[in-house]
Amino acid sequence: MSRAFNFSAGPATLPQAVLEQAQAEMLDWHGVGASIVELSHRGPEFMQVAAEAEADLRTLMSIPDDYAVLFLQGGATMQQALLALNFAEPGQAADYVVTGHWGKTALKQVNHYVQAHVAASGEAGGFRDIPPRADWTLTPGAAYVHVTANETIHGVEFRELPDVGDVPLFADFSSSIVSEPLDVSRFGVIYAGAQKNLGPVGVSVVIVRRDLLERAGQPRADILDYRSHVKGESMLNTPPTWNWYLAGLVFKWMLAEGGVEEFAARNARKSALLYRTIDGSDGFYRNEVAPAVRSRMNVPFFLRDEALDKPFLAEAKDAGLISLKGHRALGGMRASIYNAMPEAGVEALAAFMRDFQQRHG
Ligand SMILES: *Cc1c(COP(=O)(O)O)cnc(C)c1O
């Protein structure tokens, strides 16, 4: 068996130790004679898995008690729609700071429900920078301000939390949750699809300040109601037990490795090495994002000579480095280097990039 270093943006690489544990437990979870995915979600075995996953995530992220934690289906995109339904009155204003593709997606989900207002956008500059807070035009009385903490496609990441006063800050952390310590109390809602940094696709984590759950929101079915999900402990209907279980294994792995502080240090080293390799290539490779907001998780880069894109990808694959093709919206390359990407993987990529340049530069 040989595992490549997999730079996929999502679904993304998982820690090998987690996959091995899942494999070992696949047929017989903890001696019960069945896989955890074959057991009732209301049985004692899965209830334990679910409770431990929440407790471990609370520990990892230091989530205060006045925040509820949900494990839901529907992906990050579904949460984007539910934010408006649950926390804004029909037609109320909601402010969106658009710093890339996912910010635009978030906006698109709520146009039917709120007076969505683009408070700032980096689109005119090709999403290569984040508009400074001083230039944002926030709406008085807005239901919330929405930001995308890390733009997975454009490779732009907030490195400082914006101050938005008394209006709750809602943030899409799909591709950077648990990548470094975070002051959860600064947010009204934090949400993330799991398939970048938390585990497998199919479950989303939503962290909600409890007082916001008292907002009336808009007419909606029970299954679209965060309040009901909190009451039902994320089990209004059958939850994605396999995904929840695997995410729980990732949380335990992270805690054993040293928690978010340790991953923040690793992620800083990994991203610095890649950007150093790109910036030191005399233009053979380039990343176009303003250095102050470059993403630590997703590093898009371009080869000076596009004709070398195909050979780059082919030779990288032969070297055991896969999924480096950039998103179709941007072209070029993208290396996604979430928590589960070992430093050895980024070192191998940097060495390959230098070698490829020597041979083709
Ligand atoms: C991947 C991603 C999404 C979309 O997630 P789905 O689970 O596919 O809905 C939203 N926001 C960000 C920042 C992402 O990286």
Side-chain angles (χ1 to χ4, degrees):
M1 184 207 69
S2 86
R3 273 176 65 77
F5 289 119
N6 172 9
F7 296 89
S8 175
T13 194
L14 288 170
Q16 185 164 327
V18 165
L19 294 176
E20 284 167 352
Q21 186 176 348
Q23 181 181 43
E25 295 177 347
M26 189 68 179
L27 297 184
D28 179 9
W29 185 84
H30 295 206
V32 301
S35 167
I36 192 72
V37 291
E38 300 171 296
L39 298 169
S40 166
H41 56 293
R42 304 208 186 273
E45 298 87 1
F46 187 76
M47 293 295 273
Q48 179 195 333
V49 166
E52 281 183 25
E54 179 178 334
D56 288 339
L57 185 63
R58 283 185 178 277
T59 305
L60 266 179
M61 293 184 66
S62 308
I63 301 172
D65 288 342
D66 58 331
Y67 284 74
V69 177
L70 296 169
F71 290 83
L72 301 178
Q73 310 188 45
T77 313
M78 173 68 93
Q79 312 316 320
Q80 291 174 339
L82 296 186
L83 294 178
L85 282 177
N86 281 269
F87 302 117
E89 312 264 311
Q92 192 182 359
D95 284 333
Y96 281 76
V97 177
V98 179
T99 53
H101 173 92
W102 293 113
K104 284 178 81 169
T105 307
L107 188 63
K108 210 163 75 183
Q109 302 314 315
V110 301
N111 277 326
H112 297 296
Y113 308 122
V114 295
Q115 202 68 44
H117 169 241
V118 178
S121 171
E123 188 156 24
F127 294 127
R128 293 182 186 89
D129 206 347
I130 292 182
R133 171 66 188 85
D135 295 347
W136 298 6
T137 52
L138 298 178
T139 315
Y144 55 83
V145 179
H146 182 279
V147 297
T148 311
N150 179 65
E151 282 285 355
T152 319
I153 294 172
H154 289 89
V156 170
E157 183 179 21
F158 277 91
R159 301 308 301 132
E160 262 169 55
L161 288 181
D163 183 352
V164 294
D166 291 336
V167 178
L169 182 60
F170 289 8
D172 179 354
F173 267 93
S174 290
S175 50
S176 58
I177 191 167
V178 299
S179 66
E180 65 182 342
L182 183 69
D183 182 357
V184 172
S185 72
R186 294 278 306 271
F187 295 88
V189 175
I190 289 170
Y191 67 96
Q195 69 269 29
K196 282 56 181 255
N197 224 3
L198 295 178
V201 68
V203 65
S204 298
V205 164
V206 185
I207 303 166
V208 189
R209 211 176 68 210
R210 292 185 198 275
D211 65 309
L212 293 170
L213 296 165
E214 284 154 30
R215 288 191 180 180
Q218 312 200 10
R220 58 196 182 276
D222 202 32
I223 196 70
L224 305 178
D225 193 326
Y226 282 137
R227 225 169 1 209
S228 304
H229 283 297
V230 170
K231 245 185 249 147
E233 300 186 324
S234 306
M235 293 193 193
L236 277 189
N237 64 337
T238 319
T241 55
W242 170 248
N243 317 65
W244 195 337
Y245 153 77
L246 268 181
L249 293 187
V250 172
F251 303 158
K252 288 196 188 300
W253 170 78
M254 282 193 66
L255 288 168
E257 291 283 309
V260 284
E261 286 82 6
E262 171 62 22
F263 283 94
R266 290 183 196 176
N267 292 332
R269 288 194 295 268
K270 280 159 28 185
S271 53
L273 172 57
L274 263 194
Y275 287 119
R276 215 162 46 237
T277 305
I278 292 164
D279 293 344
S281 71
D282 286 324
F284 186 82
Y285 303 109
R286 70 178 194 285
N287 168 281
E288 299 178 340
V289 176
V293 295
R294 282 174 164 181
S295 169
R296 296 160 309 119
M297 299 280 104
N298 310 93
V299 181
F301 60 95
F302 304 91
L303 277 71
R304 182 167 48 207
D305 179 1
E306 272 178 36
L308 288 176
D309 284 2
K310 274 206 174 106
F312 181 91
L313 289 167
E315 291 183 31
K317 190 172 167 214
D318 288 343
L321 308 165
I322 64 170
S323 310
L324 283 162
K325 193 171 195 288
H327 189 274
R328 60 187 187 282
L330 283 190
M333 307 297 150
R334 172 173 49 168
S336 296
I337 49 174
Y338 305 118
N339 288 349
M341 172 56 65
E343 287 187 74
V346 177
E347 285 160 10
L349 174 59
F352 168 79
M353 288 169 69
R354 283 191 298 268
D355 178 60
F356 184 87
Q357 181 180 359
Q358 282 207 321
R359 286 181 292 107
H360 296 274

